[in-house]
Amino acid sequence: MRPAPCALNLILMRGIMSENMKVLFLSSEVMPFAKTGGLADVAGSLPIALKNAGIDVRLVMPFYRVVKDTAFENQMLIKDLEIPFGDRTLKANIFETFLAEGIPVYLVEREDMFDRPNLYGDSKGDYYDNLERFSFFSHAALKTSQAIGFKPDVIHCHDWQTGLVPALLKGPYKTSNGLSNAATVFTIHNMGYQGIFTPDKLAVTGLSGPQYFHPEGLEYWGNISLLKAGIIYSDAITTVSPTYANEIMTHEYGLGIEGILLNRNKSLHGILNGVDYDEWNPVKDKHISACYSRKSISGKKKCKEALIKEIALHPNINDKPLLGMISRLDKQKGLDILIPVLEAILGLDTGLVILGSGDQEIENALRKPADEHPDRVAIHTGFNNPLAHRIMAGADIFLIPSRYEPCGLTQMYALKYGTVPVVRATGGLNDTIEQYDEKSITGNGFKFGPYDSKAFLKAVKQAVDIFKDKNTWKKLMSTGMKYDYSWGRSAESYFDIYKSIKR
Ligand code: ADP
């Protein structure tokens, strides 16, 4: 798997090996085992960069049905581990599998909680017992660490599903064997998912005392917020880009938690996500029709031809700009500003392919233009990683008109695939995409500011106009392909934070 860049690696090795840092990484999804979005990409690749830098990192995640079905090699490590669950204890089996570089991943098995078709819910909504499931998971992660005798210096928690852990470590686990010295980092991947539950369920968390349920604790407008618990009780908070770190301290993006984040702003850090270039790299992508590189780009044309065939667009799109989008179909992702100008975008003589899963209403709204222009528009629904790779390689222009975007990974993938991004200037999109400037011939893509269809269409039109100038377009693609967002630098920033909170 991908090591951190060499020189940096050495610096890190020297720094970390002497400290013998141990990190327990808790995530509700990890690539390649289970994924619904970017969190899985991060949780599957950041630990590898940390391990390459000398950290003893181990992960804990639920043993979902999808993990069992994909038949990753695993073995049972602990049978019938007792896990606190409200005023009872329940049992879990702990299995072990491995990420690249021999990184242990402990899988928490409990059939009634995790052996389900999906990770968090289905088309009817979230599973009714997500508080129970992820409280159980949080306790199980801590109990697993104790049971295997792993004494973490840092427990790195991700998103609301693990937000209870920092609170548990300041409360019932404060003096627990092997955990009393563990500092916590809580990473916010998306403020839009807060883990809100009704207060009558508080007892299940193990934090039922009045000292936790108040506005300075995990109470949020009368409910329980697990995201807020993570923010309040962790030793350091990170989010996934510098711009998003600033945005979430404002009323517009903070969703009512901005005041608390402002209070904790000295402990809040924006660290840009990295990319796993072993997985997302046209030089060796096993899902695409022809591999290619910046120096030998001809394969991209073949990928476009193959994609157009696969999604049954008219062959004449081979000579026109093909726009691509891969996204959760969610209000966050800007489809509400895309749909009103979809006809106008097609009016620019383009083709369009969208791969998305999520909101049924958004899917229905996209179906209409696809039905009206079957040879120009292809809408594919469902989660399809191989097709995502083929769109990344086969499209010319990649669209990300997000209302907000904590980091965004697809724009960084797009750059590597020579697929020029058109993005809204928010969060990590703002930090990674630089507006193309015709005079100085600088920049790697196209950005727009106001969240409206007109501004978006203008940026798309700009991209389409430049596309027609083959030489300039080639340079733009080539510039983007040079960008390197691998994990080395970000891993160094996480390491600095771990060091600063280590007890
Ligand atoms: P988010 O985490 O908000 O969904 P990111 O850009 O950080 O957005 O990460 C999205 C990840 O999920 C990318 O790896 C993208 O390729 C992938 N993805 C999104 N939707 C689909 C889909 N329908 N099929 C396959 N992969 C998808």
Side-chain angles (χ1 to χ4, degrees), residues 228-245:
K228 193 176 163 203
I231 292 170
I232 296 266
Y233 293 102
S234 55
D235 296 301
I237 309 156
T238 70
T239 189
V240 289
S241 70
T243 296
Y244 194 57

Side-chain angles (χ1 to χ4, degrees), residues 29 31 35-42 189-190 193 240 273 280 326-329 332-333 355-358 380-389 392 398 400 404-411 413 429:
E29 47 187 278
M31 267 299 269
K35 165 168 170 173
T36 67
L39 167 61
D41 292 336
V42 173
H189 294 260
N190 193 328
Y193 298 87
V240 289
N273 282 336
W280 292 96
I326 303 161
S327 180
R328 285 182 295 113
L329 299 181
Q332 174 200 340
K333 297 293 182 178
L355 168 63
S357 61
H380 282 250
T381 51
F383 198 87
N384 187 337
N385 187 48
L387 180 58
H389 282 250
M392 203 51 91
F398 199 80
I400 320 182
Y404 72 93
E405 195 58 71
C407 177
L409 293 169
T410 51
Q411 80 281 9
Y413 303 157
L429 300 173

Side-chain angles (χ1 to χ4, degrees), residues 364-402:
N364 294 343
L366 288 168
R367 286 261 165 248
K368 200 168 157 272
D371 291 344
E372 280 166 11
H373 308 275
D375 52 353
R376 308 270 304 280
V377 180
I379 306 296
H380 282 250
T381 51
F383 198 87
N384 187 337
N385 187 48
L387 180 58
H389 282 250
R390 290 195 287 275
I391 292 174
M392 203 51 91
D396 299 297
I397 294 171
F398 199 80
L399 306 179
I400 320 182
S402 303

Side-chain angles (χ1 to χ4, degrees), residues 82-93:
E82 298 212 325
I83 313 295
F85 187 72
D87 53 8
R88 294 185 286 156
T89 54
L90 297 179
K91 288 186 172 146
N93 296 323

Side-chain angles (χ1 to χ4, degrees), residues 49-153:
L50 296 172
K51 172 74 193 245
N52 281 325
I55 293 182
D56 181 356
V57 56
R58 304 177 187 205
L59 286 78
V60 191
M61 70 175 288
F63 203 170
Y64 300 110
R65 182 180 298 173
V66 63
V67 187
K68 288 186 178 168
D69 286 353
T70 327
F72 291 102
E73 243 178 67
N74 62 72
Q75 57 173 10
M76 192 193 283
L77 213 58
I78 308 167
K79 190 166 167 47
D80 291 339
L81 183 65
E82 298 212 325
I83 313 295
F85 187 72
D87 53 8
R88 294 185 286 156
T89 54
L90 297 179
K91 288 186 172 146
N93 296 323
I94 309 301
F95 288 73
E96 183 181 40
T97 186
F98 294 92
L99 258 188
E101 306 292 330
I103 297 170
V105 180
Y106 305 115
L107 303 162
V108 176
E109 186 200 44
R110 188 164 164 103
E111 271 183 26
D112 57 352
M113 295 203 188
F114 302 121
D115 191 1
R116 300 189 188 181
N118 300 304
L119 270 52
Y120 311 122
D122 52 30
S123 56
K124 289 185 218 107
D126 291 344
Y127 291 137
Y128 74 97
D129 58 349
N130 275 346
L131 180 66
E132 287 85 344
R133 297 170 77 226
F134 289 102
S135 293
F136 182 80
F137 171 67
S138 298
H139 285 271
L142 298 177
K143 289 287 175 190
T144 301
S145 188
Q146 286 182 310
I148 60 171
F150 187 64
K151 296 185 176 161
D153 298 298

Side-chain angles (χ1 to χ4, degrees), residues 173-193:
Y173 289 81
K174 197 173 171 127
T175 53
S176 282
N177 195 12
L179 297 171
S180 52
N181 274 329
T184 50
V185 177
F186 182 68
T187 297
I188 303 166
H189 294 260
N190 193 328
M191 289 285 292
Y193 298 87

